[in-house]
Amino acid sequence: MAGGQRTLVGLGVGVAAASVATALGVARGRAEHRRLALSTLAPEGNYYEEPSEVVEVLADDGVALHVEIDLPPVDVDHSGITVVLSHGFCLSLGSWVLQRRALAATGHRVVLWDQRSHGRSGLSPKAACDIDQLGRDLRAVIEGVVPEGPIALVGHSMGGMTMMALADQYPDLVKERVVAAAFVATSAGGAQLVSLGYGELFGKLVSRVGPAVLDRLGARQGLFNGLRGRARELEEFLVGHYSFASPVPPEAIRFTADLLFATPLTVMSDFMATFDRHDKRHALEHFLGIEVLVLNGLQDVLTPPDHSAEIVRRVPGAEHVVIEDAGHIIMLEHPDVVDEQLEALVERGMRAHAAGLAVEHKPRVRMLVMDMAKRRRVAKARAAEARQK
């Protein structure tokens, strides 16, 4: 290796080491500052739910899709509707654990699935890591486990894009079967989707160099996994920063980190290009006449509320609910509010479907919601922590 190259490598290693040391220091300081008795915020039953049924559905290109089905308790009347939950990028169906529990408890059949190359679904060829293919995958899931009856579609982040791709390619299915749709922390496209809260310029840089970097790191996935074990504080700091905007139990941060980093680095790389190309604004017309909810966290740095504004503009009658003190993983951060909003959406959809209401003539509604119950629990946890000092 030439001297100049060695110098550059040395500088690179030095900068990287300094950056990691600084980040670790910040992480420790932040952890100490926010070390509260927040485990009291952890949900009852924690972050696991036993499915009623597990099914494998084959996509049109043969990739095996892992599907789970929850049935309402035997002592609860079935509503007659199936809620289909689609998760976001680098997550899995586990991210919906609290919503699946709540929706089934109120009488709905719930279907969850791992998108290709995520969770327990099969690994996809790189060329098929594409939003349009995800739309075809969602159709395969619906045909396989929801062959008839009314459907409510719910999608978080990439899952919302998957719903748009479904509507774009199979508009008749959406018009005939879907009675309600929730787009959670997502975008119809036409905007820079990966800014990480640092603006469009940095986002473009990430889109350009990110896949190559991830590919190189992916070749050393084992080494990366080993480093994770030694840098849990840094990992939890970064996950907390980019996922949440309010105090959450430590279990939620650990659970989210494990979901995110269970996704191989090469899979992250394979999907990044499709977000740059994503533009499904035209597909939103197929949701006209359907009850639509657009849900955002006000402090979401990945897909802020203005990324969802186009959905509201193009679907007259859509309700736009923005939750204060909420980041991107909104369903784990403010589960009670998200559960309430989804349940209300499904009920509106069932009523409108039964009565033949012209949903598109409803006035647009935008609400800023504060999770007051959580604020009280956080205040109580902080007071308990203060008394122990």
Side-chain angles (χ1 to χ4, degrees):
M1 183 184 290
Q5 289 177 306
R6 280 196 297 269
T7 301
L8 286 174
V9 170
L11 283 171
V13 170
V15 169
S19 299
V20 169
T22 301
L24 281 170
V26 172
R28 289 192 185 102
R30 183 72 62 89
E32 287 301 320
H33 180 67
R34 299 182 66 186
R35 197 174 299 281
L36 307 169
L38 293 178
S39 287
T40 57
L41 300 178
E44 196 173 327
N46 223 313
Y47 297 101
Y48 176 76
E49 191 73 11
E50 186 72 34
S52 304
E53 187 178 354
V54 176
V55 179
E56 183 180 278
V57 171
L58 290 182
D60 59 6
D61 62 351
V63 171
L65 303 173
H66 176 82
V67 181
E68 296 185 6
I69 301 169
D70 294 342
L71 300 176
V74 293
D75 58 345
V76 175
D77 290 338
H78 196 305
S79 69
I81 196 166
T82 297
V83 183
V84 181
L85 301 167
S86 300
H87 67 79
F89 179 49
C90 292
L91 297 172
S92 73
L93 61 78
S95 61
W96 292 116
V97 60
L98 305 181
Q99 286 65 50
R100 71 189 293 180
R101 190 177 297 162
L103 289 164
T106 51
H108 309 304
R109 182 173 183 256
V110 181
V111 168
L112 314 91
W113 63 296
D114 286 330
Q115 304 224 48
R116 59 178 50 223
S117 295
H118 291 71
R120 281 171 279 184
S121 284
L123 195 63
S124 170
K126 181 173 183 175
C129 293
D130 176 78
I131 297 296
D132 285 330
Q133 179 62 57
L134 298 183
R136 294 192 289 275
D137 292 350
L138 178 53
R139 177 176 180 259
V141 170
I142 291 172
E143 287 188 335
V145 299
V146 201
E148 58 185 15
I151 298 170
L153 295 175
V154 180
H156 171 253
S157 195
M158 185 176 76
M161 300 173 195
T162 299
M163 289 163 50
M164 298 174 210
L166 173 77
D168 191 26
Q169 297 170 93
Y170 309 103
D172 289 344
L173 186 156
V174 172
K175 287 290 185 184
E176 294 167 9
R177 303 277 310 282
V178 177
V179 299
F183 296 97
V184 182
T186 191
S187 169
Q192 183 63 36
L193 297 182
V194 186
S195 70
L196 299 179
Y198 293 105
E200 186 174 347
L201 182 63
F202 185 77
K204 286 181 178 176
L205 179 64
V206 169
S207 326
R208 191 173 300 120
V209 305
V213 171
L214 288 169
D215 276 337
R216 289 194 190 99
L217 289 172
R220 294 188 168 127
Q221 183 75 48
L223 176 61
F224 176 79
N225 292 342
L227 290 173
R228 279 189 63 206
R230 298 189 205 115
R232 286 173 68 90
E233 287 181 348
L234 175 60
E235 180 179 281
E236 291 176 2
F237 165 70
L238 293 172
V239 168
H241 175 72
Y242 287 112
S243 302
F244 307 111
S246 66
V248 295
E251 297 92 335
I253 294 178
R254 185 71 259 148
F255 178 67
T256 303
D258 288 342
L259 289 178
L260 290 169
F261 291 107
T263 309
L265 297 170
T266 50
V267 170
M268 297 182 190
S269 170
D270 290 347
F271 273 91
M272 283 188 74
T274 196
F275 299 127
D276 238 12
R277 299 190 302 266
H278 172 62
D279 190 346
K280 286 288 183 278
R281 289 174 290 179
H282 59 280
L284 293 171
E285 66 178 287
H286 302 305
F287 291 95
L288 289 172
I290 295 169
E291 282 285 349
V292 169
L293 169 69
V294 179
L295 193 61
N296 290 101
L298 184 61
Q299 289 80 19
D300 186 342
V301 297
L302 298 177
T303 49
D306 62 344
H307 280 208
S308 297
E310 190 71 1
I311 305 173
V312 181
R313 191 180 75 79
R314 289 182 179 246
V315 185
E319 293 199 4
H320 193 187
V321 174
V322 180
I323 302 179
E324 178 74 70
D325 301 327
H328 190 62
I329 312 296
I330 191 170
M331 57 280 195
L332 294 175
E333 184 175 16
H334 295 280
D336 292 345
V337 175
V338 174
D339 293 350
E340 289 169 5
Q341 290 295 329
L342 292 181
E343 181 59 36
L345 169 73
V346 174
E347 288 183 6
R348 290 197 304 272
M350 291 170 61
R351 287 199 304 268
H353 178 67
L357 299 178
V359 176
E360 64 267 32
H361 298 312
K362 285 174 48 184
R364 287 194 182 101
V365 175
R366 189 179 193 275
M367 294 185 289
L368 181 65
V369 175
M370 288 181 285
D371 192 344
M372 297 306 298
K374 178 178 176 178
R375 286 189 175 188
R376 286 192 290 270
R377 291 198 301 272
V378 170
K380 185 176 179 180
R382 283 177 168 156
E385 179 74 10
R387 285 195 297 271
Q388 293 173 3
K389 289 181 179 180

